[in-house]
Amino acid sequence: EDQVTQSPEALRLQEGESSSLNCSYTVSGLRGLFWYRQDPGKGPEFLFTLYSAGEEKEKERLKATLTKKESFLHITAPKPEDSATYLCAVQAPFNDYKLSFGAGTTVTVRA
Amino acid sequence: KAGVTQTPRYLIKTRGQQVTLSCSPISGHRSVSWYQQTPGQGLQFLFEYFSETQRNKGNFPGRFSGRQFSNSRSEMNVSTLELGDSALYLCASKEAPATNEKLFFGSGTQLSVL
């Protein structure tokens, strides 16, 4: 079964203090790796899709990268509004396109 | 374009009861997936529907069922509720199942079983 592990579970940052979140996965033939952001009481909101090792995507203060076994979500100079739970999910070719999610990393950014 | 709409937003039920949750996907989206989210287990896939047919199913007991209507709206039903069924139930849609497209999620239905 596909395994997705996110670390750390929780991250407390000072405003402006850059950091990285990790998502490691064990899946054969990755079809896509997805990053979502989830605010309390809301459904996950799509951030990025990565398809192949070496790929990078950026959006404002967020940058996602992908290797053969893990992905990183870098948060550069975070602001309090970046506080959320960040979820990673993988899609493998032989599981009929369903997504397997990690447990998430909860990021709190203090002003 | 309206997003994914889930109703009701909150539900409180007692053990043994049954519950039906509703999901209206984004217009034009024909694939609807359901996920259960709990603090301990995270997001777990329940099932996916496309063209009124269940395409895929997660590892949940038969008490969890769903259906999809011709207008792509979907419902999920949980019978004989247990305390452990307390969770946020999320619906997500996309245009078609066999793509790498991102899922669009609703805000969920928070179910509490007492």
Side-chain angles (χ1 to χ4, degrees):
Chain A
E1 182 158 320
D2 302 336
Q3 294 278 347
V4 183
T5 304
Q6 291 189 247
S7 62
E9 288 185 18
L11 191 59
R12 293 177 64 86
L13 302 172
Q14 199 67 33
E15 184 172 4
E17 178 189 359
S18 301
S19 188
S20 294
L21 285 56
N22 177 267
C23 170
S24 63
Y25 60 91
T26 55
V27 63
S28 300
L30 181 72
R31 187 173 287 277
L33 184 140
F34 299 78
W35 282 99
Y36 285 85
R37 168 195 170 121
Q38 187 173 24
D39 293 304
K42 294 189 176 181
E45 177 187 347
F46 171 79
L47 292 173
F48 305 109
T49 308
L50 301 167
Y51 294 105
S52 55
E55 190 174 358
E56 299 182 351
K57 295 267 181 79
E58 281 189 75
K59 180 181 179 179
E60 296 181 357
R61 294 175 293 283
L62 300 177
K63 178 180 176 179
T65 62
L66 181 65
T67 71
K68 285 188 177 179
K69 289 298 179 187
E70 58 190 351
S71 176
F72 293 94
L73 184 65
H74 309 277
I75 310 179
T76 302
K79 298 182 178 182
E81 52 262 43
D82 294 321
S83 297
T85 296
Y86 292 87
L87 298 166
C88 165
V90 299
Q91 187 174 55
F94 301 115
N95 68 354
D96 234 354
Y97 297 91
K98 71 177 184 183
L99 294 184
S100 298
F101 280 85
T105 295
T106 299
V107 175
T108 304
V109 183
R110 296 165 293 176
Chain B
K1 211 173 192 181
V4 178
T5 305
Q6 291 188 246
T7 56
R9 187 73 179 89
Y10 301 95
L11 264 179
I12 299 175
K13 293 285 186 179
T14 56
R15 278 184 301 173
Q17 287 187 310
Q18 76 163 18
V19 65
T20 299
L21 312 180
S22 179
C23 171
S24 293
I26 290 173
S27 178
H29 285 193
R30 298 164 61 197
S31 167
V32 174
S33 300
W34 288 89
Y35 287 81
Q36 181 196 65
Q37 187 173 32
T38 58
Q41 298 294 320
L43 266 154
Q44 293 193 288
F45 174 79
L46 280 157
F47 27 65
E48 179 189 9
Y49 285 87
F50 176 71
S51 293
E52 303 177 64
T53 302
Q54 187 180 89
R55 292 192 70 252
N56 206 347
K57 192 176 189 306
N59 297 323
F60 280 83
R63 300 184 297 106
F64 292 82
S65 64
R67 60 178 176 168
Q68 187 180 35
F69 302 95
S70 58
N71 62 357
S72 295
R73 190 177 69 86
S74 177
E75 288 181 348
M76 69 162 279
N77 183 277
V78 188
S79 62
T80 318
L81 284 166
E82 300 177 0
L83 295 178
D85 296 333
S86 295
L88 180 66
Y89 289 89
L90 291 161
C91 169
S93 75
K94 60 180 179 177
E95 287 186 12
T99 74
N100 296 335
E101 284 180 43
K102 56 184 179 282
L103 290 176
F104 293 87
F105 283 86
S107 292
T109 294
Q110 184 67 55
L111 172 65
S112 297
V113 182
L114 307 178

